[in-house]
Amino acid sequence: MFPDNKADIPFCERIFCNRSLNMKSIKAVGFDMDYTLALYKPETFEKLAYDETIKKLIEIGYPKEICSWEFDPKYMIRGLVIDKKNGNILKMDRHRYVKVAYHGFKELNREERRKLYDIENVIVYEEPHYALIDTLFSLAEAFLFIQLVEFKDKTDKMNHKSYFDLYSDVRMCIDLCHRDGSIKDKVYDNPSKYISNNKNLVSILKDLKASGRKIFIVTNSLWDYTNIVMSYLCNTKKDSNQEWISLFDLIITGSQKPSFFMTKNQIYEVDTKTNYLKNTDIVNILNKDKQESIVYQGGHFKLLHNMLGIKTGSEILYIGDHIYGDILRSKKEIGWRTMLVIEELEKEIIATYELKEQYILCDSLNEKRVLLENEFERLDIQSREKGATHTLDKNENLDKKIKKVGYDLLKLREQEKKEIRNYHLGLHPIWGELMKTGRQNSRFAAQVENYACLYTSKLTNLIHYGPHKNFRAVRDFMPHDLDE
């Protein structure tokens, strides 16, 4: 199942550890479904969501000409922030400093960014004025939003709408698409068009269950859609779901995460034959025969703990793709151990290897800049301390050195900035590296580090590791630990 040597695991398929986790302490492993168990094809699935949202916007009065717009699945990345008031998309570093910003398709320069988002303003980048692009589900709506911002700025057809209104309309329409069957029905008719199949998924689930752990799903998708997706992934017929259900000890649909981790929502039993809901409670659930239904809707984490026989949150490993809905809340509120699926990480790791020479160049320029800055400071101090005692010729010679070093430093800074930008644009032509902004970790990377015990590009990377693996975090470093 897994190699003896870690070096035999492709680097882009490894599981990376922020907080040490011994799998022997884990009694239950849970999964989100969308973009975790099921990996969607962005060029078809996100395009479907985009196209259906366009139709809904036209139905509520938007100009029909927007139906000719095209979706670019590669334009957006997760970890961005939508400024609903000003119509901007932002990328921040871990200190909440906005390093890249676009208004429509126009990049804001440094002065424009600082005027709006100076860190001294202590802006809280949260609802209702900001929206976080923290899942791949959000990429289509973010791209459509900037198209509408561009459209509003260039025509007078949207003068009656604010940027905030544009985002609210897009959000309302895309939510409606997920509720009314616009998306679900098409996935049902042709799941292979929208969902990537993975031959290792079922074997991983079976191995985890064979290791003595409880296996469960907690998804916001309702039962009918969950059954469509899981039947396809597990190669079972849509109308014969018992085979894939048997892979799990508990399935909770319509969970309303992140509310699931904070609020005592009502739980219902799902009749998997009729899709009807039945009233139930924890007494009835615990008294049920194990052969009876294990599929429910709603509920909350305390019920899940009771149903699985879990005493503390640290006995659960939950795997999901949403940094807020799956990882942050489950970790922060109830202490679950967490693994974040970052699907785009695999391609980015491969791309960073291809740009290794460019990365080395950026590091070399940074080292040279530090040396020149030290030299400039030394000459400046020398000029001020000895200026009164030096002869005119010596002072003039020192001034020339200061000017030359200052000029060289200015040119070097410009070159370093240019090469760092080239490196980032090699990873993504608009937003740069997912986990970095300049030389700093991005806001998204900081959240991953703080809340995801483990992270990887897809959950089936578990195939490379044993069920009792002891994941160990790398040593933490502070600036004073490094000899630079």
Side-chain angles (χ1 to χ4, degrees):
M1 173 183 170
F2 53 95
D4 295 327
N5 193 334
K6 181 180 176 181
D8 294 333
I9 304 173
F11 191 76
C12 60
E13 294 182 11
R14 291 184 187 177
I15 294 175
F16 303 98
C17 181
N18 288 318
R19 181 186 173 194
S20 294
L21 190 158
N22 190 338
M23 287 295 290
K24 290 181 180 179
S25 68
I26 298 299
K27 295 182 179 179
V29 180
F31 303 90
D32 181 32
M33 184 181 74
D34 299 308
Y35 283 109
T36 301
L37 289 167
L39 297 182
Y40 294 95
K41 301 174 182 179
E43 66 277 8
T44 54
F45 184 79
E46 290 302 323
K47 184 179 186 306
L48 172 63
Y50 173 90
D51 291 342
E52 295 300 322
T53 303
I54 289 274
K55 293 177 185 177
K56 293 285 192 297
L57 288 171
I58 293 173
E59 288 175 6
I60 64 172
Y62 276 68
K64 291 183 178 179
E65 61 196 88
I66 70 173
C67 70
S68 64
W69 290 359
E70 293 291 333
F71 173 58
D72 183 353
K74 297 181 180 179
Y75 192 91
M76 289 293 178
I77 62 172
R78 79 166 104 186
L80 304 177
V81 177
I82 296 176
D83 178 351
K84 304 178 193 177
K85 179 182 176 182
N86 294 299
N88 298 335
I89 307 284
L90 319 174
K91 185 182 181 187
M92 291 180 282
D93 67 16
R94 63 191 180 99
H95 303 293
R96 297 184 299 108
Y97 184 83
V98 177
K99 301 297 287 286
V100 184
Y102 275 79
H103 180 82
F105 293 102
K106 175 185 175 294
E107 184 174 8
L108 303 185
N109 60 38
R110 184 180 182 185
E111 289 70 28
E112 291 170 323
R113 294 197 312 268
R114 297 195 70 172
K115 184 177 180 181
L116 288 170
Y117 309 110
D118 194 314
I119 197 166
E120 293 180 359
N121 294 335
V122 194
I123 299 171
V124 179
Y125 294 97
E126 296 177 358
E127 294 284 0
H129 300 297
Y130 297 88
L132 308 181
I133 308 174
D134 282 340
T135 173
L136 297 181
F137 265 132
S138 302
L139 301 188
E141 70 186 64
F143 185 72
L144 181 51
F145 175 66
I146 65 167
Q147 284 182 303
L148 289 170
V149 168
E150 188 87 359
F151 185 65
K152 172 179 168 59
D153 290 347
K154 291 185 176 180
T155 72
D156 58 2
K157 296 180 180 180
M158 304 301 295
N159 288 344
H160 61 295
K161 295 277 189 181
S162 67
Y163 297 128
F164 199 102
D165 292 334
L166 297 180
Y167 179 80
S168 297
D169 288 344
V170 170
R171 185 67 259 173
M172 176 187 69
C173 290
I174 203 164
D175 283 343
L176 184 58
C177 289
H178 284 288
R179 289 198 308 266
D180 70 1
S182 299
I183 295 174
K184 177 185 68 179
D185 292 347
K186 289 182 172 59
V187 175
Y188 182 89
D189 291 337
N190 190 5
S192 63
K193 180 178 179 180
Y194 303 103
I195 305 171
S196 300
N197 205 347
N198 193 318
K199 62 181 180 180
N200 293 325
L201 178 61
V202 173
S203 63
I204 287 173
L205 295 173
K206 288 181 176 179
D207 287 342
L208 286 172
K209 197 166 187 178
S211 70
R213 297 181 175 90
K214 301 286 187 179
I215 308 300
F216 66 93
I217 293 176
V218 176
T219 176
N220 284 353
S221 293
L222 297 179
W223 163 250
D224 55 350
Y225 184 72
T226 300
N227 187 38
I228 293 169
V229 174
M230 293 306 300
S231 294
Y232 172 71
L233 290 173
C234 299
N235 298 310
T236 59
K237 295 180 180 179
K238 300 170 190 173
D239 55 356
S240 177
N241 49 50
Q242 292 306 311
E243 185 176 341
W244 78 260
I245 288 178
S246 67
L247 296 169
F248 299 91
D249 296 286
L250 178 64
I251 298 163
I252 295 181
T253 63
S255 63
Q256 301 180 60
K257 294 175 296 180
S259 172
F260 182 85
F261 304 116
M262 299 178 286
T263 307
K264 290 187 175 181
N265 301 318
Q266 177 63 42
I267 192 168
Y268 301 92
E269 182 181 335
V270 177
D271 187 324
T272 58
K273 295 179 180 178
T274 65
N275 293 345
Y276 290 162
L277 302 181
K278 303 176 185 177
N279 287 317
T280 190
D281 56 39
I282 188 60
V283 175
N284 289 329
I285 292 171
L286 294 180
N287 288 334
K288 272 184 173 293
D289 188 284
K290 290 185 178 180
Q291 300 303 316
E292 296 185 57
S293 176
I294 60 167
V295 182
Y296 297 90
Q297 179 173 311
H300 52 89
F301 78 93
K302 288 186 178 180
L303 285 175
L304 181 142
H305 284 193
N306 288 331
M307 295 158 79
L308 295 176
I310 297 298
K311 294 181 180 179
T312 64
S314 60
E315 295 176 336
I316 290 178
L317 172 63
Y318 187 65
I319 305 173
D321 74 293
H322 196 304
I323 188 66
Y324 184 80
D326 292 328
I327 304 301
L328 187 151
R329 284 301 165 196
S330 65
K331 176 74 173 178
K332 194 173 182 179
E333 301 293 336
I334 56 179
W336 285 8
R337 306 308 301 273
T338 55
M339 183 164 83
L340 180 67
V341 174
I342 310 172
E343 185 181 351
E344 57 272 45
L345 184 64
E346 182 171 338
K347 289 183 179 178
E348 181 149 305
I349 288 174
I350 293 171
T352 56
Y353 268 91
E354 294 173 351
L355 290 168
K356 187 175 182 180
E357 294 301 319
Q358 182 67 19
Y359 183 86
I360 292 172
L361 173 61
C362 293
D363 258 7
S364 173
L365 291 173
N366 179 257
E367 291 174 3
K368 291 178 181 178
R369 176 176 60 80
V370 171
L371 291 174
L372 268 182
E373 286 174 342
N374 292 339
E375 175 68 6
F376 183 83
E377 184 177 9
R378 184 185 66 79
L379 290 172
D380 184 57
I381 292 173
Q382 184 180 343
S383 173
R384 286 187 279 109
E385 288 182 347
K386 299 181 179 180
T389 59
H390 278 204
T391 64
L392 182 62
D393 289 341
K394 287 185 176 180
N395 281 335
E396 287 180 353
N397 187 45
L398 189 58
D399 286 343
K400 288 180 181 179
K401 286 184 178 179
I402 291 173
K403 287 180 181 179
K404 183 181 185 307
V405 173
Y407 176 79
D408 291 343
L409 181 59
L410 179 63
K411 299 298 289 184
L412 189 59
R413 283 172 176 166
E414 291 175 353
Q415 185 184 1
E416 182 188 12
K417 185 177 179 181
K418 176 185 175 183
E419 297 301 340
I420 290 175
R421 181 175 176 84
N422 288 339
Y423 171 77
H424 278 282
L425 296 184
L427 293 165
H428 191 279
I430 307 297
W431 305 105
E433 188 175 359
L434 177 69
M435 297 291 196
K436 291 283 189 292
T437 50
R439 295 176 63 87
Q440 291 280 330
N441 279 352
S442 65
R443 165 192 161 273
F444 178 68
Q447 289 182 319
V448 173
E449 186 175 32
N450 288 335
Y451 298 109
C453 301
L454 309 172
Y455 66 98
T456 190
S457 60
K458 53 184 181 290
L459 79 86
T460 48
N461 290 340
L462 284 166
I463 198 74
H464 300 303
Y465 301 86
H468 302 296
K469 168 72 177 177
N470 188 0
F471 292 97
R472 296 185 180 275
V474 297
R475 178 189 170 191
D476 285 341
F477 287 98
M478 292 189 69
H480 70 272
D481 295 320
L482 305 174
D483 182 17
E484 290 188 352

